[in-house]
Amino acid sequence: MSARPRPLLLGAGTAIAVAVTLSGCTQKASSEDGAVSVTASDSVCEVSKTELPAGHVSLALENKGSKITEVYVLFPDGRIAAERENIGPGTKATLVTELKAGDYEIACKPGMKGDGIRQKIALTGKDTAAERSPESDAAVAAYRSYVLAQAEQTLPRAQAFADAVKAGDIEKAKGLYASSRIGWERTEPVAESFGDIDPKVDVREDGLEDGQDPTTDWTGWHRLEKALWQDKKIGDRERELADQLMTDLNAWVKKVGTAEITPTSMANGAKSLLDEVARNKVTGEEERYSHTDLIDFKANLEGARRSYDLLKPIAQKNDPALAKELGQRFASLTGQLDAYRTDDGADEDSYTYTSYDMVSEAERKELSDGVNALAEPLSKLAAAVAK
């Protein structure tokens, strides 16, 4: 997961007023192509419209600030409806999503920290979900089943890992650590959409908010990873954290069935998984103690590929050239990554890869280039399925 925390939950009962401008948020003219313009700086989040029709929404994003930023569309309770991360200074991006009628917030997060600068918006009109094609409905239903299956399969693996920690068996816990995360990594965008679960189970120490104490506020997999590989000890606190991890993961599994899933959220989620690889896995930041980054990389790539495979019939109909390119890019990057695989390949749910500290800088650059080659066309998938 990224170093920054997810948006703070506002609470299900929080009232959202329509078209109210927050401090630092203003309105500006729409972009010429009809997309809603969102212009971010280090202190301002300008949104061109605060009321727009429900259905497919295109946001034209521009970062005029000095810091990397990200833009979220949030439900009233703080869950993520859509997001675009890693928008560098002076760059533009597009976010295409599908939103039902209702109240939302757009949040720009300069520096990718805090709650962001927020603008309330309202979507009006009829729900377009009923107008989806049979192919779209089939893709959404299949992906929902996939996400739920991945969540449910994570629990026994995570429990085995937690049990090893509680038993004080460092070597066994090390051996179970990476495999316990595969289901989470495959479906991370859905897990992150709930806002409160991700910071509990998958945040790194440098992702804590200012004022949070690592000794008391840092929980989840990476806190235990540090204890196992760097501290090389398991104490009472680690045993408590193992139980807390399972409590939080069980809460995640219960919520998965309620996730808002649309064809565009699937496409955006696939792109988000590639962004995770580029930002954290290829750099070696994610698994800085265990160096199991390539296993996370593989799981992220599989999750992105699953979304694409389910959306492929729609993409082939609307943009056959894009569909063909994506198929080729996915195959190429999978081949690049699997050159580092160290098991026999028989079990797709239990694989091992070269320790990432043994991967040279030149090899990391090649992997990074492969990720970028896929990420660029993948960023167009949401627009293709929304046609």
Side-chain angles (χ1 to χ4, degrees):
M1 86 151 252
S2 63
R4 82 281 181 274
R6 313 304 299 179
L8 182 67
L9 280 175
L10 303 179
T14 302
I16 299 294
V18 175
V20 176
T21 301
L22 301 181
S23 175
C25 295
T26 60
Q27 282 189 255
K28 61 191 290 288
S30 300
S31 63
E32 293 181 1
D33 63 1
V36 177
S37 296
V38 180
T39 305
S41 71
D42 296 344
S43 59
V44 171
C45 185
E46 295 181 333
V47 182
S48 62
K49 296 179 180 179
T50 55
E51 186 169 338
L52 53 152
H56 290 124
V57 176
S58 180
L59 302 180
L61 314 176
E62 182 175 7
N63 181 6
K64 292 187 176 181
S66 62
K67 303 175 182 178
I68 295 176
T69 195
E70 51 196 7
V71 176
Y72 294 87
V73 181
L74 303 174
F75 291 105
D77 62 3
R79 290 177 298 121
I80 301 171
E83 64 180 310
R84 187 65 186 263
E85 303 175 336
N86 279 354
I87 307 170
T91 63
K92 298 180 180 180
T94 300
L95 175 59
V96 178
T97 187
E98 180 182 338
L99 300 174
K100 297 178 181 179
D103 299 328
Y104 299 82
E105 285 187 316
I106 291 178
C108 303
K109 298 180 68 176
M112 302 191 296
K113 286 281 190 177
D115 292 338
I117 305 164
R118 300 190 176 198
Q119 170 70 60
K120 300 177 189 297
I121 64 170
L123 277 84
T124 60
K126 65 179 181 178
D127 182 4
T128 60
E131 301 174 3
R132 289 193 196 129
S133 67
E135 294 92 344
S136 294
D137 284 339
V140 169
Y143 186 68
R144 188 179 297 279
S145 296
Y146 172 73
V147 170
L148 183 58
Q150 291 300 312
E152 291 175 341
Q153 291 168 17
T154 296
L155 290 183
R157 293 183 176 206
Q159 187 64 65
F161 167 69
D163 288 345
V165 171
K166 291 167 65 178
D169 192 334
I170 291 178
E171 292 307 313
K172 184 176 182 180
K174 284 182 176 181
L176 295 169
Y177 169 76
S179 63
S180 75
R181 293 171 48 75
I182 290 173
W184 174 275
E185 292 290 339
R186 284 172 174 161
T187 60
E188 194 166 3
V190 174
E192 290 177 342
S193 72
F194 297 114
D196 58 337
I197 300 294
D198 183 76
K200 293 178 180 178
V201 306
D202 200 31
V203 74
R204 303 195 310 271
E205 185 172 9
D206 55 347
L208 296 173
E209 286 280 19
D210 294 340
Q212 287 189 302
D213 185 350
T215 61
T216 57
D217 299 323
W218 187 19
T219 61
W221 270 302
H222 293 303
R223 168 63 177 81
L224 292 169
E225 178 202 5
K226 182 181 180 184
L228 294 170
W229 272 273
Q230 179 169 295
D231 302 337
K232 297 180 173 60
K233 64 180 182 181
I234 296 174
D236 291 342
R237 176 56 176 163
E238 286 70 36
R239 292 181 173 87
E240 292 173 358
L241 289 170
D243 281 335
Q244 184 62 50
L245 176 65
M246 293 312 303
T247 296
D248 294 332
L249 289 176
N250 274 283
W252 162 53
V253 172
K254 290 178 181 178
K255 289 185 175 184
V256 161
T258 68
E260 295 279 346
I261 297 174
T262 66
T264 54
S265 75
M266 291 168 59
N268 289 327
K271 176 58 167 62
S272 178
L273 285 170
L274 262 291
D275 290 342
E276 287 281 349
V277 172
R279 184 173 56 248
N280 298 322
K281 278 68 174 185
V282 171
T283 62
E285 295 179 30
E286 179 82 356
E287 307 291 357
R288 60 189 64 175
Y289 309 110
S290 65
H291 304 299
T292 56
D293 303 86
L294 291 180
I295 297 176
D296 287 359
F297 187 153
K298 175 70 168 179
N300 285 159
L301 183 59
E302 288 173 334
R305 180 61 189 259
R306 181 61 173 165
S307 290
Y308 166 68
D309 285 344
L310 293 173
L311 294 170
K312 186 176 178 179
I314 308 168
Q316 284 181 319
K317 181 188 299 184
N318 295 340
D319 194 336
L322 176 65
K324 181 179 179 180
E325 182 181 7
L326 284 171
Q328 294 171 340
R329 295 296 187 186
F330 268 114
S332 177
L333 183 56
T334 299
Q336 275 186 270
L337 178 59
D338 282 354
Y340 298 92
R341 192 162 178 171
T342 57
D343 61 90
D344 62 10
D347 186 353
E348 281 303 311
D349 283 322
S350 181
Y351 33 66
T352 57
Y353 281 80
T354 301
S355 180
Y356 204 54
D357 57 340
M358 302 300 293
V359 179
S360 70
E361 288 300 321
E363 291 170 327
R364 294 185 185 198
K365 175 63 165 56
E366 291 176 355
L367 288 169
S368 178
D369 289 344
V371 171
N372 292 335
L374 172 57
E376 192 280 327
L378 193 57
S379 68
K380 301 174 183 178
L381 181 59
V385 302
K387 288 182 179 179

